[in-house]
Amino acid sequence: MSSQLQGALNSFLDEARLLAKQTELKSVVQVEDFFSTNGTAYLVMEYLDGVTLSDKMKAEGRLPAQQLLSMLRPLMEDIGKLHASGIIHRDISPDNLMLERGSVRLLDFGCARESTQGDETMTITLKHGYAPIEQYQHKGQGPWTDVYGLSATIYYCLTGKTPPQALDRLMDDEIIMPRRLGVDLTEKQEKALLRGMGIKQHQRFRTVEELHTALYEGVDVPAPEPELPEEP
C-alpha cells in the first residue's frame, strides 16, 4: 500500500499548500502550519467554534432568504479572489460552510485544484446534489463548477430540499422553483439562482462575480450562451 499512502500524503500536503497561500481571505479557514514527520503528514489549522450550515438546517429548518444572502456576501467575494488566484474548491456544500459568530467560513480543501493543472488531473470527486455535470467527468471544470455548488447550497438552505443530482436533471429536470415553496426571493434573484444551477456549463454564470452581481444588484439575467458543437 506504499504507493497509495504516498499519494494520499501528497494530496494532503497539496491541500495544505493551497490553503497556506490564502492568508488575506477571511472567509477561508486558515492554515497555521503543515509538515511531514513520523512517516505521515500534519496540518495545523485555526480552530473554528461554529456550526455547519448543514447542522444549522437540521436544527432550525430553512433560512430566511435575505438573512442567508447577507451572510454569504463576503464569502462570495472571497471565492472570487480564490478563483483569481487559480484555485477552484470543487466541494462547496452545506457540510463545508461553517457559521461562526455571524460569518460564514469555507472549509475542506481536500478536493481543491489549481485550474492551471489541466483537465487530466481533475479527479472525479463529487457530492450528489451539489456537484455539476462536469464533475462526473475528468474535464470541463473551472470557476463555474463552484458557481453550481454555491448556488445549489443556497437553494438547499432556502428551500430545505437537496437539489436533484445533475445526472438525473439531464434526463428530467424536476427542480422546484424556490418562490413556489414560499422563499422570499425577488423574481430576478430566483432567475439568478437557477442560472447558477444551470445543468450544462454554458447555461451557467462563468464566474462567481457574475452570480454575485445578479443576486445582489438586481441585474436582469441574460439568456445563456448557445452551446457550441464539439470539434470532431
Side-chain angles (χ1 to χ4, degrees):
M1 301 294 288
S2 59
S3 61
Q4 290 93 328
L5 173 61
Q6 192 58 51
L9 289 175
N10 291 341
S11 178
F12 184 83
L13 290 172
D14 284 344
E15 175 185 358
R17 292 186 187 95
L18 289 176
L19 279 171
K21 300 175 184 177
Q22 311 307 319
T23 56
E24 302 300 318
L25 305 185
K26 301 307 179 185
S27 300
V28 174
V29 64
Q30 301 293 299
V31 167
E32 307 294 341
D33 196 8
F34 61 94
F35 52 92
S36 298
T37 189
N38 302 324
T40 187
Y42 299 85
L43 177 62
V44 184
M45 307 180 77
E46 68 171 316
Y47 177 71
L48 299 183
D49 186 12
V51 60
T52 65
L53 290 185
S54 178
D55 287 339
K56 185 175 179 64
M57 287 287 295
K58 291 174 184 175
E60 302 177 17
R62 61 190 198 175
L63 305 177
Q66 302 314 314
Q67 175 189 341
L68 177 66
L69 292 177
S70 177
M71 291 191 301
L72 291 178
R73 193 165 193 166
L75 171 70
M76 294 179 69
E77 294 173 353
D78 280 351
I79 291 175
K81 294 175 183 176
L82 198 68
H83 291 163
S85 72
I87 297 171
I88 52 176
H89 186 277
R90 303 201 309 151
D91 195 19
I92 297 178
S93 68
D95 294 331
N96 289 335
L97 293 176
M98 176 170 281
L99 183 60
E100 183 194 40
R101 294 192 292 274
S103 298
V104 179
R105 309 289 298 279
L106 180 60
L107 314 174
D108 192 355
F109 278 65
C111 298
R113 290 293 181 273
E114 293 183 85
S115 55
T116 55
Q117 287 180 316
D119 285 334
E120 68 278 0
T121 66
M122 296 295 187
T123 53
I124 296 177
T125 307
L126 51 86
K127 194 168 290 177
H128 294 308
Y130 303 97
I133 195 68
E134 65 267 20
Q135 277 190 267
Y136 291 80
Q137 306 166 336
H138 283 286
K139 61 181 181 178
Q141 299 178 37
W144 48 89
T145 302
D146 284 345
V147 167
Y148 189 101
L150 180 59
S151 299
T153 296
I154 294 172
Y155 180 91
Y156 168 71
C157 290
L158 294 179
T159 66
K161 296 182 179 295
T162 302
Q165 63 173 296
L167 285 178
D168 292 339
R169 293 183 65 203
L170 266 179
M171 300 298 295
D172 185 12
D173 191 5
E174 297 181 343
I175 196 161
I176 304 172
M177 305 286 273
R179 298 206 307 164
R180 285 183 56 192
L181 296 170
V183 175
D184 185 23
L185 288 175
T186 67
E187 184 177 354
K188 289 181 179 179
Q189 286 175 322
E190 182 180 65
K191 287 172 63 178
L193 182 60
L194 294 177
R195 172 77 181 271
M197 295 174 65
I199 300 174
K200 296 184 179 181
Q201 296 175 43
H202 75 282
Q203 298 172 326
R204 240 175 279 151
F205 296 113
R206 301 300 288 174
T207 67
V208 73
E209 288 87 354
E210 292 177 0
L211 173 63
H212 180 280
T213 298
L215 276 176
Y216 294 97
E217 298 179 22
V219 175
D220 281 321
V221 177
E225 296 177 6
E227 184 175 16
L228 299 176
E230 292 186 5
E231 294 183 8

